[in-house]
Amino acid sequence: MSGFVFYIVEDEQLKAAAKACKNALLCYSNYHFAREGGYFEPSAEANPFLHTWSLGVEEQFYFLFPLVAVLAYGRGWLKARYLGGFVLVGLAISCFMTFQYPIRAFFALESRAWELGAGAWLAVAVARGTLPGWLSHRAVAATSLVLLLLSVVLLRNGDLVPAPLAALAVLGAVLFIGGRAGGSGSRLHGIFASVPLRFLGRISYSLYLVHWPLIVFVRSWRGELTPAIAAGLAVGGAHMLWAMLESLPARQAQLARRVWDKRGRA
């Protein structure tokens, strides 16, 4: 990824990219971009590391949450209802920050932790068997899809983000995953279990990593891209990254099992 920055001609853009790269390596790029300006600023669009702000939020959360979870588990506090309370309090904090400090609220862990906390609530509820039964109703799956599509439309310009508008996407995702898209017999589940969508799911993390640097690089070289070309480049690059790196541990494990089986039969 970092090799692409050297194709950015302007010195100022190169310096900005180098600074963002350093902060991304330190898992701090969300706060770096909060200081530099808004996500939707024209100057931010030329930075190939802009997308790492959300990776920074995730890394910070995944570092702190397990520590808190271990302490909470030892005291019997790791329960879905407590996590639900954390999500609601976090949402209230996020609403306050969105109105008072909108740029920081967009990037900061303290205003985004509730979104990841909702996923933790779902995981704990599933593990403890306390997931509400009504989540599996097919009407819930349809509602979740409407919420997700609505969030795509309403979140495009960044107004009232992360709160309260991001609650649409978070709630939609929790309902969709928790209800398993209506269950294995539903039409919606069949659509999302199809080969093309499973392929996109498989490469989704690689897609996240490569999509923005590729778009910035090609845009700086060839000019503005159509959405179809941008999507094609991103999916192609993501598949290459997945095939060469992300799937490598699984292939190595499979090879090790074969070698072990052969030795066992010998």
Side-chain angles (χ1 to χ4, degrees):
M1 185 198 307
S2 56
F4 290 150
V5 269
F6 295 103
Y7 287 92
I8 299 174
V9 216
E10 293 83 356
D11 287 342
E12 288 305 313
Q13 288 180 332
L14 187 58
K15 288 177 184 176
K19 192 183 294 185
C21 178
K22 180 188 74 173
N23 281 277
L25 291 172
L26 295 173
C27 308
Y28 194 73
S29 58
N30 53 326
Y31 290 105
H32 164 72
F33 285 113
R35 291 195 307 268
E36 295 294 309
Y39 179 83
F40 296 94
E41 293 291 324
S43 58
E45 289 189 357
N47 196 313
F49 297 97
L50 177 63
H51 66 310
T52 62
W53 76 267
S54 58
L55 188 60
V57 173
E58 291 178 23
E59 288 164 340
Q60 291 153 20
F61 182 85
Y62 295 143
F63 176 76
L64 293 172
F65 180 76
L67 300 177
V68 175
V70 167
L71 293 174
Y73 182 79
R75 290 164 175 76
W77 295 346
L78 192 60
K79 296 179 180 177
R81 63 175 179 270
Y82 295 144
L83 281 169
F86 166 78
V87 170
L88 293 177
V89 171
L91 176 58
I93 293 171
S94 188
C95 283
F96 170 78
M97 289 185 65
T98 299
F99 286 101
Q100 295 297 320
Y101 314 103
I103 292 178
R104 184 177 178 87
F106 188 93
F107 292 104
L109 174 65
E110 57 268 29
S111 59
R112 292 284 188 173
W114 65 276
E115 301 175 29
L116 296 164
W121 170 86
L122 181 60
V124 169
V126 169
R128 292 186 175 269
T130 57
L131 199 65
W134 53 263
L135 274 179
S136 59
H137 197 281
R138 293 184 181 181
V140 173
T143 303
S144 69
L145 196 59
V146 170
L147 289 172
L148 290 170
L149 293 174
L150 197 58
S151 69
V152 171
V153 175
L154 295 179
L155 298 177
R156 293 185 71 177
N157 60 1
D159 291 339
L160 301 180
V161 177
L165 283 186
L168 294 173
V170 173
L171 179 59
V174 168
L175 294 176
F176 188 85
I177 297 170
R180 299 182 64 248
S184 57
S186 72
R187 182 178 300 176
L188 192 61
H189 186 279
I191 293 171
F192 281 88
S194 63
V195 172
L197 291 185
R198 289 199 342 250
F199 166 75
L200 288 177
R202 189 163 56 247
I203 66 166
S204 59
Y205 186 67
S206 293
L207 185 59
Y208 161 76
L209 289 177
V210 306
H211 80 284
W212 191 245
L214 274 175
I215 289 171
V216 169
F217 167 61
V218 177
R219 186 191 286 164
S220 68
W221 175 40
R222 302 290 293 177
E224 202 59 44
L225 303 174
T226 65
I229 292 176
L233 282 171
V235 171
H239 181 60
M240 287 176 60
L241 181 63
W242 177 85
M244 290 188 296
L245 291 179
E246 196 178 342
S247 66
L248 186 60
R251 293 202 307 270
Q252 288 177 332
Q254 189 177 32
L255 180 61
R257 282 195 299 270
R258 288 176 182 172
V259 171
W260 183 263
D261 289 343
K262 285 181 180 178
R263 285 181 178 177
R265 289 194 296 266

PDB file of all heavy atoms in Angstrom, residues 198-219:
ATOM      1  N   ARG A 198     -21.138 -14.541  -1.036  1.00  0.00           N
ATOM      2  CA  ARG A 198     -20.174 -15.222  -0.172  1.00  0.00           C
ATOM      3  C   ARG A 198     -18.739 -14.886  -0.589  1.00  0.00           C
ATOM      4  O   ARG A 198     -17.853 -14.750   0.255  1.00  0.00           O
ATOM      5  CB  ARG A 198     -20.395 -16.741  -0.197  1.00  0.00           C
ATOM      6  CG  ARG A 198     -21.664 -17.127   0.537  1.00  0.00           C
ATOM      7  CD  ARG A 198     -21.757 -18.581   0.956  1.00  0.00           C
ATOM      8  NE  ARG A 198     -20.889 -19.507   0.306  1.00  0.00           N
ATOM      9  CZ  ARG A 198     -21.287 -20.438  -0.560  1.00  0.00           C
ATOM     10  NH1 ARG A 198     -22.555 -20.517  -0.928  1.00  0.00           N
ATOM     11  NH2 ARG A 198     -20.440 -21.294  -1.062  1.00  0.00           N
ATOM     12  N   PHE A 199     -18.540 -14.737  -1.891  1.00  0.00           N
ATOM     13  CA  PHE A 199     -17.217 -14.330  -2.397  1.00  0.00           C
ATOM     14  C   PHE A 199     -16.854 -12.945  -1.866  1.00  0.00           C
ATOM     15  O   PHE A 199     -15.737 -12.726  -1.378  1.00  0.00           O
ATOM     16  CB  PHE A 199     -17.223 -14.330  -3.924  1.00  0.00           C
ATOM     17  CG  PHE A 199     -16.053 -13.617  -4.537  1.00  0.00           C
ATOM     18  CD1 PHE A 199     -14.791 -14.216  -4.547  1.00  0.00           C
ATOM     19  CD2 PHE A 199     -16.196 -12.352  -5.086  1.00  0.00           C
ATOM     20  CE1 PHE A 199     -13.700 -13.556  -5.100  1.00  0.00           C
ATOM     21  CE2 PHE A 199     -15.105 -11.683  -5.640  1.00  0.00           C
ATOM     22  CZ  PHE A 199     -13.863 -12.285  -5.650  1.00  0.00           C
ATOM     23  N   LEU A 200     -17.796 -11.994  -1.934  1.00  0.00           N
ATOM     24  CA  LEU A 200     -17.537 -10.651  -1.420  1.00  0.00           C
ATOM     25  C   LEU A 200     -17.285 -10.679   0.084  1.00  0.00           C
ATOM     26  O   LEU A 200     -16.434  -9.944   0.599  1.00  0.00           O
ATOM     27  CB  LEU A 200     -18.707  -9.717  -1.738  1.00  0.00           C
ATOM     28  CG  LEU A 200     -18.865  -9.306  -3.197  1.00  0.00           C
ATOM     29  CD1 LEU A 200     -20.101  -8.432  -3.379  1.00  0.00           C
ATOM     30  CD2 LEU A 200     -17.623  -8.560  -3.693  1.00  0.00           C
ATOM     31  N   GLY A 201     -18.023 -11.515   0.794  1.00  0.00           N
ATOM     32  CA  GLY A 201     -17.791 -11.653   2.229  1.00  0.00           C
ATOM     33  C   GLY A 201     -16.414 -12.203   2.541  1.00  0.00           C
ATOM     34  O   GLY A 201     -15.755 -11.757   3.483  1.00  0.00           O
ATOM     35  N   ARG A 202     -15.967 -13.146   1.718  1.00  0.00           N
ATOM     36  CA  ARG A 202     -14.665 -13.771   1.946  1.00  0.00           C
ATOM     37  C   ARG A 202     -13.525 -12.771   1.765  1.00  0.00           C
ATOM     38  O   ARG A 202     -12.542 -12.801   2.493  1.00  0.00           O
ATOM     39  CB  ARG A 202     -14.500 -14.963   0.999  1.00  0.00           C
ATOM     40  CG  ARG A 202     -13.285 -15.814   1.291  1.00  0.00           C
ATOM     41  CD  ARG A 202     -13.370 -17.179   0.621  1.00  0.00           C
ATOM     42  NE  ARG A 202     -13.561 -17.071  -0.822  1.00  0.00           N
ATOM     43  CZ  ARG A 202     -14.656 -17.451  -1.476  1.00  0.00           C
ATOM     44  NH1 ARG A 202     -15.684 -17.951  -0.804  1.00  0.00           N
ATOM     45  NH2 ARG A 202     -14.738 -17.327  -2.785  1.00  0.00           N
ATOM     46  N   ILE A 203     -13.656 -11.879   0.778  1.00  0.00           N
ATOM     47  CA  ILE A 203     -12.571 -10.935   0.499  1.00  0.00           C
ATOM     48  C   ILE A 203     -12.824  -9.577   1.148  1.00  0.00           C
ATOM     49  O   ILE A 203     -12.100  -8.614   0.870  1.00  0.00           O
ATOM     50  CB  ILE A 203     -12.376 -10.740  -1.021  1.00  0.00           C
ATOM     51  CG1 ILE A 203     -13.598 -10.046  -1.646  1.00  0.00           C
ATOM     52  CG2 ILE A 203     -12.065 -12.051  -1.716  1.00  0.00           C
ATOM     53  CD1 ILE A 203     -13.362  -9.522  -3.047  1.00  0.00           C
ATOM     54  N   SER A 204     -13.833  -9.470   2.011  1.00  0.00           N
ATOM     55  CA  SER A 204     -14.261  -8.157   2.506  1.00  0.00           C
ATOM     56  C   SER A 204     -13.157  -7.414   3.259  1.00  0.00           C
ATOM     57  O   SER A 204     -13.016  -6.188   3.118  1.00  0.00           O
ATOM     58  CB  SER A 204     -15.498  -8.298   3.397  1.00  0.00           C
ATOM     59  OG  SER A 204     -15.225  -9.143   4.499  1.00  0.00           O
ATOM     60  N   TYR A 205     -12.363  -8.137   4.060  1.00  0.00           N
ATOM     61  CA  TYR A 205     -11.312  -7.438   4.801  1.00  0.00           C
ATOM     62  C   TYR A 205     -10.212  -6.957   3.853  1.00  0.00           C
ATOM     63  O   TYR A 205      -9.713  -5.826   3.979  1.00  0.00           O
ATOM     64  CB  TYR A 205     -10.714  -8.334   5.886  1.00  0.00           C
ATOM     65  CG  TYR A 205      -9.742  -7.588   6.763  1.00  0.00           C
ATOM     66  CD1 TYR A 205     -10.175  -6.568   7.604  1.00  0.00           C
ATOM     67  CD2 TYR A 205      -8.379  -7.884   6.721  1.00  0.00           C
ATOM     68  CE1 TYR A 205      -9.279  -5.858   8.395  1.00  0.00           C
ATOM     69  CE2 TYR A 205      -7.477  -7.183   7.517  1.00  0.00           C
ATOM     70  CZ  TYR A 205      -7.942  -6.177   8.338  1.00  0.00           C
ATOM     71  OH  TYR A 205      -7.046  -5.479   9.120  1.00  0.00           O
ATOM     72  N   SER A 206      -9.840  -7.794   2.910  1.00  0.00           N
ATOM     73  CA  SER A 206      -8.869  -7.362   1.900  1.00  0.00           C
ATOM     74  C   SER A 206      -9.418  -6.196   1.089  1.00  0.00           C
ATOM     75  O   SER A 206      -8.677  -5.274   0.730  1.00  0.00           O
ATOM     76  CB  SER A 206      -8.524  -8.530   0.971  1.00  0.00           C
ATOM     77  OG  SER A 206      -7.820  -9.536   1.664  1.00  0.00           O
ATOM     78  N   LEU A 207     -10.716  -6.235   0.817  1.00  0.00           N
ATOM     79  CA  LEU A 207     -11.359  -5.148   0.076  1.00  0.00           C
ATOM     80  C   LEU A 207     -11.246  -3.847   0.854  1.00  0.00           C
ATOM     81  O   LEU A 207     -10.976  -2.785   0.287  1.00  0.00           O
ATOM     82  CB  LEU A 207     -12.826  -5.502  -0.176  1.00  0.00           C
ATOM     83  CG  LEU A 207     -13.648  -4.553  -1.043  1.00  0.00           C
ATOM     84  CD1 LEU A 207     -13.046  -4.413  -2.424  1.00  0.00           C
ATOM     85  CD2 LEU A 207     -15.088  -5.053  -1.144  1.00  0.00           C
ATOM     86  N   TYR A 208     -11.451  -3.944   2.160  1.00  0.00           N
ATOM     87  CA  TYR A 208     -11.307  -2.750   3.006  1.00  0.00           C
ATOM     88  C   TYR A 208      -9.879  -2.199   2.937  1.00  0.00           C
ATOM     89  O   TYR A 208      -9.658  -0.992   2.839  1.00  0.00           O
ATOM     90  CB  TYR A 208     -11.678  -3.102   4.446  1.00  0.00           C
ATOM     91  CG  TYR A 208     -11.144  -2.118   5.450  1.00  0.00           C
ATOM     92  CD1 TYR A 208     -11.746  -0.873   5.622  1.00  0.00           C
ATOM     93  CD2 TYR A 208     -10.017  -2.427   6.214  1.00  0.00           C
ATOM     94  CE1 TYR A 208     -11.233   0.031   6.532  1.00  0.00           C
ATOM     95  CE2 TYR A 208      -9.515  -1.523   7.122  1.00  0.00           C
ATOM     96  CZ  TYR A 208     -10.116  -0.293   7.278  1.00  0.00           C
ATOM     97  OH  TYR A 208      -9.607   0.607   8.168  1.00  0.00           O
ATOM     98  N   LEU A 209      -8.891  -3.092   2.961  1.00  0.00           N
ATOM     99  CA  LEU A 209      -7.501  -2.647   2.999  1.00  0.00           C
ATOM    100  C   LEU A 209      -7.057  -1.984   1.698  1.00  0.00           C
ATOM    101  O   LEU A 209      -6.305  -1.005   1.723  1.00  0.00           O
ATOM    102  CB  LEU A 209      -6.581  -3.830   3.298  1.00  0.00           C
ATOM    103  CG  LEU A 209      -6.639  -4.399   4.722  1.00  0.00           C
ATOM    104  CD1 LEU A 209      -5.718  -5.609   4.834  1.00  0.00           C
ATOM    105  CD2 LEU A 209      -6.256  -3.357   5.761  1.00  0.00           C
ATOM    106  N   VAL A 210      -7.491  -2.507   0.552  1.00  0.00           N
ATOM    107  CA  VAL A 210      -6.912  -2.041  -0.715  1.00  0.00           C
ATOM    108  C   VAL A 210      -7.760  -1.030  -1.468  1.00  0.00           C
ATOM    109  O   VAL A 210      -7.248  -0.341  -2.352  1.00  0.00           O
ATOM    110  CB  VAL A 210      -6.617  -3.227  -1.665  1.00  0.00           C
ATOM    111  CG1 VAL A 210      -5.754  -4.268  -0.989  1.00  0.00           C
ATOM    112  CG2 VAL A 210      -7.900  -3.861  -2.186  1.00  0.00           C
ATOM    113  N   HIS A 211      -9.063  -0.917  -1.148  1.00  0.00           N
ATOM    114  CA  HIS A 211      -9.927  -0.145  -2.035  1.00  0.00           C
ATOM    115  C   HIS A 211      -9.495   1.313  -2.153  1.00  0.00           C
ATOM    116  O   HIS A 211      -9.403   1.846  -3.265  1.00  0.00           O
ATOM    117  CB  HIS A 211     -11.390  -0.244  -1.577  1.00  0.00           C
ATOM    118  CG  HIS A 211     -11.738   0.653  -0.435  1.00  0.00           C
ATOM    119  ND1 HIS A 211     -11.368   0.369   0.869  1.00  0.00           N
ATOM    120  CD2 HIS A 211     -12.409   1.834  -0.391  1.00  0.00           C
ATOM    121  CE1 HIS A 211     -11.812   1.334   1.660  1.00  0.00           C
ATOM    122  NE2 HIS A 211     -12.435   2.232   0.928  1.00  0.00           N
ATOM    123  N   TRP A 212      -9.197   1.955  -1.014  1.00  0.00           N
ATOM    124  CA  TRP A 212      -8.921   3.391  -1.090  1.00  0.00           C
ATOM    125  C   TRP A 212      -7.543   3.702  -1.680  1.00  0.00           C
ATOM    126  O   TRP A 212      -7.436   4.584  -2.544  1.00  0.00           O
ATOM    127  CB  TRP A 212      -9.097   4.047   0.280  1.00  0.00           C
ATOM    128  CG  TRP A 212      -9.079   5.540   0.196  1.00  0.00           C
ATOM    129  CD1 TRP A 212      -8.165   6.393   0.729  1.00  0.00           C
ATOM    130  CD2 TRP A 212     -10.006   6.375  -0.509  1.00  0.00           C
ATOM    131  NE1 TRP A 212      -8.456   7.696   0.420  1.00  0.00           N
ATOM    132  CE2 TRP A 212      -9.590   7.705  -0.352  1.00  0.00           C
ATOM    133  CE3 TRP A 212     -11.158   6.102  -1.261  1.00  0.00           C
ATOM    134  CZ2 TRP A 212     -10.277   8.771  -0.908  1.00  0.00           C
ATOM    135  CZ3 TRP A 212     -11.847   7.169  -1.825  1.00  0.00           C
ATOM    136  CH2 TRP A 212     -11.402   8.476  -1.643  1.00  0.00           C
ATOM    137  N   PRO A 213      -6.462   3.004  -1.270  1.00  0.00           N
ATOM    138  CA  PRO A 213      -5.172   3.276  -1.925  1.00  0.00           C
ATOM    139  C   PRO A 213      -5.219   3.067  -3.435  1.00  0.00           C
ATOM    140  O   PRO A 213      -4.626   3.851  -4.191  1.00  0.00           O
ATOM    141  CB  PRO A 213      -4.222   2.269  -1.254  1.00  0.00           C
ATOM    142  CG  PRO A 213      -4.856   1.965   0.039  1.00  0.00           C
ATOM    143  CD  PRO A 213      -6.328   2.032  -0.187  1.00  0.00           C
ATOM    144  N   LEU A 214      -5.915   2.023  -3.889  1.00  0.00           N
ATOM    145  CA  LEU A 214      -6.011   1.785  -5.333  1.00  0.00           C
ATOM    146  C   LEU A 214      -6.731   2.936  -6.040  1.00  0.00           C
ATOM    147  O   LEU A 214      -6.297   3.403  -7.090  1.00  0.00           O
ATOM    148  CB  LEU A 214      -6.749   0.475  -5.598  1.00  0.00           C
ATOM    149  CG  LEU A 214      -5.919  -0.808  -5.600  1.00  0.00           C
ATOM    150  CD1 LEU A 214      -6.833  -2.008  -5.756  1.00  0.00           C
ATOM    151  CD2 LEU A 214      -4.885  -0.776  -6.711  1.00  0.00           C
ATOM    152  N   ILE A 215      -7.833   3.379  -5.456  1.00  0.00           N
ATOM    153  CA  ILE A 215      -8.605   4.458  -6.068  1.00  0.00           C
ATOM    154  C   ILE A 215      -7.777   5.747  -6.110  1.00  0.00           C
ATOM    155  O   ILE A 215      -7.746   6.449  -7.131  1.00  0.00           O
ATOM    156  CB  ILE A 215      -9.930   4.673  -5.308  1.00  0.00           C
ATOM    157  CG1 ILE A 215     -10.869   3.497  -5.565  1.00  0.00           C
ATOM    158  CG2 ILE A 215     -10.598   5.980  -5.717  1.00  0.00           C
ATOM    159  CD1 ILE A 215     -12.111   3.484  -4.707  1.00  0.00           C
ATOM    160  N   VAL A 216      -7.075   6.075  -5.024  1.00  0.00           N
ATOM    161  CA  VAL A 216      -6.251   7.286  -4.982  1.00  0.00           C
ATOM    162  C   VAL A 216      -5.131   7.204  -6.009  1.00  0.00           C
ATOM    163  O   VAL A 216      -4.866   8.173  -6.736  1.00  0.00           O
ATOM    164  CB  VAL A 216      -5.675   7.487  -3.559  1.00  0.00           C
ATOM    165  CG1 VAL A 216      -4.605   8.578  -3.556  1.00  0.00           C
ATOM    166  CG2 VAL A 216      -6.789   7.847  -2.590  1.00  0.00           C
ATOM    167  N   PHE A 217      -4.484   6.044  -6.097  1.00  0.00           N
ATOM    168  CA  PHE A 217      -3.375   5.866  -7.040  1.00  0.00           C
ATOM    169  C   PHE A 217      -3.847   6.024  -8.485  1.00  0.00           C
ATOM    170  O   PHE A 217      -3.266   6.794  -9.258  1.00  0.00           O
ATOM    171  CB  PHE A 217      -2.750   4.489  -6.836  1.00  0.00           C
ATOM    172  CG  PHE A 217      -1.819   4.073  -7.942  1.00  0.00           C
ATOM    173  CD1 PHE A 217      -0.687   4.803  -8.225  1.00  0.00           C
ATOM    174  CD2 PHE A 217      -2.091   2.949  -8.707  1.00  0.00           C
ATOM    175  CE1 PHE A 217       0.170   4.430  -9.235  1.00  0.00           C
ATOM    176  CE2 PHE A 217      -1.250   2.567  -9.726  1.00  0.00           C
ATOM    177  CZ  PHE A 217      -0.112   3.310  -9.997  1.00  0.00           C
ATOM    178  N   VAL A 218      -4.907   5.328  -8.849  1.00  0.00           N
ATOM    179  CA  VAL A 218      -5.373   5.368 -10.233  1.00  0.00           C
ATOM    180  C   VAL A 218      -5.948   6.751 -10.564  1.00  0.00           C
ATOM    181  O   VAL A 218      -5.759   7.266 -11.671  1.00  0.00           O
ATOM    182  CB  VAL A 218      -6.420   4.264 -10.487  1.00  0.00           C
ATOM    183  CG1 VAL A 218      -6.968   4.354 -11.900  1.00  0.00           C
ATOM    184  CG2 VAL A 218      -5.801   2.893 -10.262  1.00  0.00           C
ATOM    185  N   ARG A 219      -6.615   7.377  -9.601  1.00  0.00           N
ATOM    186  CA  ARG A 219      -7.157   8.713  -9.827  1.00  0.00           C
ATOM    187  C   ARG A 219      -6.039   9.727 -10.055  1.00  0.00           C
ATOM    188  O   ARG A 219      -6.159  10.625 -10.906  1.00  0.00           O
ATOM    189  CB  ARG A 219      -8.010   9.127  -8.633  1.00  0.00           C
ATOM    190  CG  ARG A 219      -8.732  10.450  -8.827  1.00  0.00           C
ATOM    191  CD  ARG A 219      -9.332  10.919  -7.524  1.00  0.00           C
ATOM    192  NE  ARG A 219     -10.495  10.144  -7.164  1.00  0.00           N
ATOM    193  CZ  ARG A 219     -11.018  10.129  -5.947  1.00  0.00           C
ATOM    194  NH1 ARG A 219     -10.449  10.809  -4.973  1.00  0.00           N
ATOM    195  NH2 ARG A 219     -12.093   9.421  -5.692  1.00  0.00           N
TER     196      ARG A 219
END
